[in-house]
Amino acid sequence: MTVYTLGNPHLRMRVSTEGACLLGLEDEQGRPLLRDTDPAQPWHPGQSALFPMLPLANRVAGNRFELWGEEHRLPESPVDPDFFLHGDGWLQSWQWVAGSTSSVTLQLTSQCGPFHYLTEIDYRLQGASLVARISLTHLGESPCLYGAGFHPFFWRDKQTRIRFLASGVWQEGADHLPINWSSRLAPHLDFRQWARPQGWLNHCYGGWRGQAELDHPARQQRLLVSSECAFLMLYQPDEGSGFVCLEPQSHAANAHHLAGHPGLRLLARGDHMSIGMTLTVASGG
């Protein structure tokens, strides 16, 4: 494992080749924007500051899906007994392909279950922003359904508020899988106005506007999350966890079993997809 420390006058980040994970992102005052990971101690990608999700995000019911009448079983995961959780990209060792003092590009080739793909992830600091992009190319002979996402763990304290617009939500049901879609947002799931995330949250929002904000009043600081993705996962184990996750992803949770496979991309050999995310620090007020 190699860890790259990158920076500019506004931000500092650490990127690991293990899982293409971020181990930390700090502002110019050294304050964490994502939760911190100490690479000198034993750690797992699920304990990182941010990891990529590919060739799918979240979970697939039954750990299998059907395409054109053919059933495809997903691989077993070393981190979840029931699901190919968040795919395999975050659990693999990536290779360095390019970099500078403020950017790094890592690459991975993987073949697992029905998936065979080449992917690159690019992290770069541009002013007060972290710009991240995942690019993926299907290498297999038969077409396959693909998705991707980013799983950042945003630093939070008891005063932290979040805000974003979405047209509705799939609430979590059994086995952390989503249940029926609803465009009526219960009060604890409504973040159209500033609100503090409370308790256990693990829900997928659709029709996401592509922007979300975190406000840290004690710091007088805000963090803007932007992406072209139309789906946003909100995850928080509890208010005392010290983090909240706002996860841009290309497809709905369990989209492999939803009508029309919302957001998934059917890629033939040589076809390409990419998604991006930008995190920007601004003054609060």
Side-chain angles (χ1 to χ4, degrees), residues 252-263:
N254 199 35
H256 297 75
H257 289 272
L258 298 179
H261 300 142

Side-chain angles (χ1 to χ4, degrees), residues 2 43 95 118 146 152 165 171 218 224 229 256 270:
T2 302
W43 67 280
Q95 300 297 316
L118 168 69
Y146 280 90
L165 291 178
Q171 291 192 52
L224 174 64
C229 293
H256 297 75

Side-chain angles (χ1 to χ4, degrees), residues 7-257:
N8 70 10
H10 305 278
L11 298 170
R12 177 179 178 270
M13 68 176 174
R14 290 174 293 131
V15 183
S16 172
T17 55
E18 191 64 32
C21 297
L22 256 63
L23 302 186
L25 178 67
E26 303 168 351
D27 67 13
E28 75 281 0
Q29 298 183 42
R31 299 176 299 189
L33 303 171
L34 303 173
R35 73 174 178 182
D36 196 59
T37 305
D38 183 359
Q41 303 296 324
W43 67 280
H44 182 274
Q47 300 166 323
S48 65
L50 180 155
F51 63 79
M53 301 183 287
L54 69 158
L56 57 83
N58 211 264
R59 298 165 174 85
V60 178
N63 213 38
R64 66 190 70 186
F65 68 92
E66 186 177 288
L67 180 62
W68 297 322
E70 180 182 355
E71 182 180 87
H72 297 277
R73 293 179 176 270
L74 297 178
E76 294 184 358
S77 172
V79 299
D80 191 300
D82 300 314
F83 302 101
F84 185 49
L85 181 64
H86 304 317
D88 71 325
W90 64 304
L91 303 174
Q92 302 259 26
S93 294
W94 295 54
Q95 300 297 316
W96 180 94
V97 292
S100 69
T101 58
S102 59
S103 68
V104 66
T105 304
L106 304 175
Q107 187 180 84
L108 169 71
T109 300
S110 179
Q111 188 167 9
C112 54
F115 306 104
H116 186 193
Y117 64 93
L118 168 69
T119 185
E120 287 189 352
I121 188 164
D122 184 80
Y123 295 113
R124 59 188 57 242
L125 301 178
Q126 296 181 349
S129 297
L130 164 62
V131 181
R133 180 158 293 275
I134 295 170
S135 302
L136 182 150
T137 302
H138 178 51
L139 303 178
E141 294 294 337
S142 300
C144 194
L145 292 168
Y146 280 90
F150 296 94
H151 199 308
F153 296 80
F154 292 101
W155 178 90
R156 64 154 295 181
D157 62 13
K158 293 183 179 179
Q159 297 182 45
T160 296
R161 307 179 299 170
I162 62 176
R163 179 172 67 176
F164 61 86
L165 291 178
S167 60
V169 65
W170 288 275
Q171 291 192 52
E172 179 186 53
D175 296 326
H176 305 299
L177 292 167
I179 54 177
N180 292 339
W181 166 266
S182 176
S183 59
R184 301 188 67 177
L185 300 175
H188 73 292
L189 300 177
D190 189 351
F191 295 96
R192 290 175 293 176
Q193 304 296 327
W194 286 115
R196 295 184 178 90
Q198 299 180 13
W200 172 273
L201 297 167
N202 192 28
H203 310 290
C204 181
Y205 289 82
W208 178 43
R209 182 171 170 263
Q211 292 191 333
E213 296 174 277
L214 296 96
D215 180 45
H216 303 305
R219 294 182 174 183
Q220 295 186 326
Q221 182 186 73
R222 288 185 181 174
L223 193 60
L224 174 64
V225 184
S226 58
S227 174
E228 69 268 34
C229 293
F231 302 89
L232 183 73
M233 281 294 301
L234 170 61
Y235 170 64
Q236 175 180 264
D238 59 68
E239 291 124 285
S241 64
F243 67 82
V244 61
C245 298
L246 297 166
E247 309 162 34
Q249 55 189 54
S250 64
H251 61 91
N254 199 35
H256 297 75
H257 289 272

